[in-house]
Each structure stands twice: as structure tokens, then as C-alpha cells.
Amino acid sequence: MSNERIKAWSYSRLVDFEQCKLRAKLKYIDRIPEPARPLPPGKTEHANDRGTRIHDAAERFVRGGVELIPELKSFSTELHDLRNKYEHGMVSLEGEWAVNKDWEPVAWGDRDAWARIKLDAFVRLSKTHAVVIDYKTGKKFGNEIKHAEQTQLYQLASFLRYPELETIDVELWYTDQDDLTHMKYTRAQGMRFFQNFNQRGIAMTSAEEFPPSPNVFACKWCPYGPRGTGDCDKGV
């Protein structure tokens, strides 16, 4: 049994924990650094690094003063519209939202921060209507369930943060595929996801045991298995 617990969760941490509790412990309690990964054949940057670069480029463009990079050209119309709304004070970018265990807003670095949600863009169209935008690089196929859960958390956090909101649109901009996926939630619909995320967050932050869950899917990209740091010898 571990003497420590994972103090706060985010969606990505939740995924790690639910795939393999030992991996979550090694990453978020023991803080063991991940080994450097070799570049895939024919690639000049890792997918995560590429995603961060494109996200940063989109943010800089919306703020103004720079041009669109080639990877964002397919969303030129949408990004120009977002820039215009930003100039009119309707858009907040790279929002770092944190809540305590009662889902009350706290500062991102507050010691009571229990859950953290980071939004690429939050657009306030009116007092009762908002849009949440998440930029996605890489493939859509195979990630539908994970991405749908992210939208559910984004809209839930928005409804809780702004009690006057009645409807929220969530948009996933798949920049590599020129695909915009859109979902609309009323407050009644959105709040139905509260119990699910609250229970999952409690399970993660109250866990005292972190057994491994060796399987082909979870172990394939794990940095701590036999092909990585070796901190877990159960990997397959």
C-alpha cells in the first residue's frame, strides 16, 4: 500500500489511472522521468511536440500579429473569425481552470486544486450561450470515445463555472483532416455528466493501492515497462 495519493486529476491523468494504476503512480507520485523516445522513421518531430507547436501557433494567430502556419490553413476561416471575436473581447485563450473537491473555482496552482481543465478557446456569445473549442492534431479515427469524454468534461466545467449559461457548443477542430466535430448541450443535458466525473475523480485521488494492469493496449506505449525504464516488470 502506498503512503501517498494522487492529489489532483485532469482528464489525461484520469486516462492514465484507469488504464494502469501503477503507471499513474510512477508518473504522478514517484515522478519518474520518461525516457527519451527515438523519432519515428521519416519524422522530424514527435506527435506530442508537433501538437504543442500547432496549438501554440493557433493561439498566437488568434491573439494577432502573426500569420497562419501551413498546418492550420484548412481552418483559416474559423481562425480569422475567432481572431475577430478575440479583438472584441469575446474569447479567452488557453484557460487554466481548477476546482476544489466541491467543484468551486480555485487558482490553477492552489493547494486545494482537485481537478484541472485546460481549454484552448472559450467563446462567450451571450450571457446564456458559450462555445468551447479544442484543437486536435493527429487522427480522429480510434479516438472518438476519448475525445467525446473530453467534450463532456469541458462543457460540465463551463456550466459549473458560469451558472447563467443555458447552452454550450463544443467544437473539436481536427486540423490535419479539415474536420470540425460539433456537439451542443443544454444545462440539463450537461449536468448529467457530473456524477460520472466526480466519482471517477474521487476514485483516483483516494486510491492507496496501485496495482499494474498489464495488457497489450496499455503496455504498448508505456514508458515504464521492460522496454522503457524498467520500473514495471509486468509489461507485455
Side-chain angles (χ1 to χ4, degrees):
M1 181 177 293
S2 172
N3 293 323
E4 294 189 69
R5 299 179 183 180
I6 299 173
K7 297 180 176 62
W9 65 276
S10 63
Y11 182 74
S12 60
R13 286 189 173 201
L14 202 60
V15 170
D16 285 340
F17 176 78
E18 292 174 347
Q19 284 184 353
C20 178
K21 294 178 175 60
L22 178 59
R23 177 177 180 174
K25 175 184 181 293
L26 295 172
K27 188 172 184 178
Y28 303 118
I29 293 179
D30 300 337
R31 299 185 182 279
I32 297 175
E34 297 185 11
R37 297 165 297 159
L39 279 172
K43 300 292 185 180
T44 59
E45 60 184 337
H46 289 291
N48 288 347
D49 296 334
R50 179 176 181 273
T52 298
R53 175 175 62 81
I54 293 174
H55 275 70
D56 291 345
E59 179 188 359
R60 291 196 302 271
F61 176 80
V62 174
R63 292 188 186 278
V66 300
E67 296 302 315
L68 278 178
I69 62 173
E71 292 91 336
L72 293 170
K73 292 292 185 181
S74 62
F75 276 83
S76 175
T77 299
E78 290 83 1
L79 285 163
H80 276 91
D81 179 63
L82 196 60
R83 176 190 271 189
N84 181 62
K85 286 184 171 64
Y86 179 79
E87 291 172 352
H88 287 83
M90 300 168 62
V91 178
S92 59
L93 299 171
E94 295 297 315
E96 293 183 337
W97 296 357
V99 297
N100 61 20
K101 291 182 178 179
D102 295 319
W103 290 81
E104 298 167 337
V106 296
W108 183 266
D110 196 291
R111 62 182 296 177
D112 292 328
W114 179 67
R116 293 185 174 93
I117 302 98
K118 191 165 186 176
L119 308 181
D120 289 335
F122 181 81
V123 186
R124 196 64 180 265
L125 296 180
S126 71
K127 182 179 179 180
T128 59
H129 185 197
V131 180
V132 174
I133 298 169
D134 189 35
Y135 311 131
K136 293 293 186 189
T137 55
K139 63 181 182 178
K140 174 181 178 180
F141 180 74
N143 291 310
E144 291 90 345
I145 294 176
K146 180 173 70 173
H147 293 170
E149 282 200 329
Q150 284 182 289
T151 70
Q152 293 159 8
L153 180 59
Y154 294 156
Q155 62 81 33
L156 174 63
S158 301
F159 276 129
L160 290 170
R161 192 176 187 87
Y162 300 105
E164 68 276 13
L165 286 176
E166 297 175 5
T167 56
I168 294 174
D169 293 276
V170 182
E171 296 181 354
L172 302 179
W173 294 7
Y174 291 92
T175 58
D176 291 341
Q177 295 152 61
D178 192 14
D179 182 303
L180 194 159
T181 298
H182 168 259
M183 287 136 291
K184 191 179 190 71
Y185 299 89
T186 64
R187 174 169 287 274
Q189 291 170 333
M191 293 302 297
R192 291 176 68 89
F193 295 98
F194 174 81
Q195 196 67 17
N196 173 270
F197 282 111
N198 190 54
Q199 290 177 346
R200 291 165 71 186
I202 290 172
M204 179 175 177
T205 55
S206 62
E208 296 180 345
E209 297 183 352
F210 301 89
S213 302
N215 63 77
V216 173
F217 175 76
C219 297
K220 182 177 182 180
W221 306 112
C222 180
Y224 303 116
R227 293 184 297 276
T229 64
D231 290 280
C232 171
D233 61 1
K234 307 298 183 183
V236 297

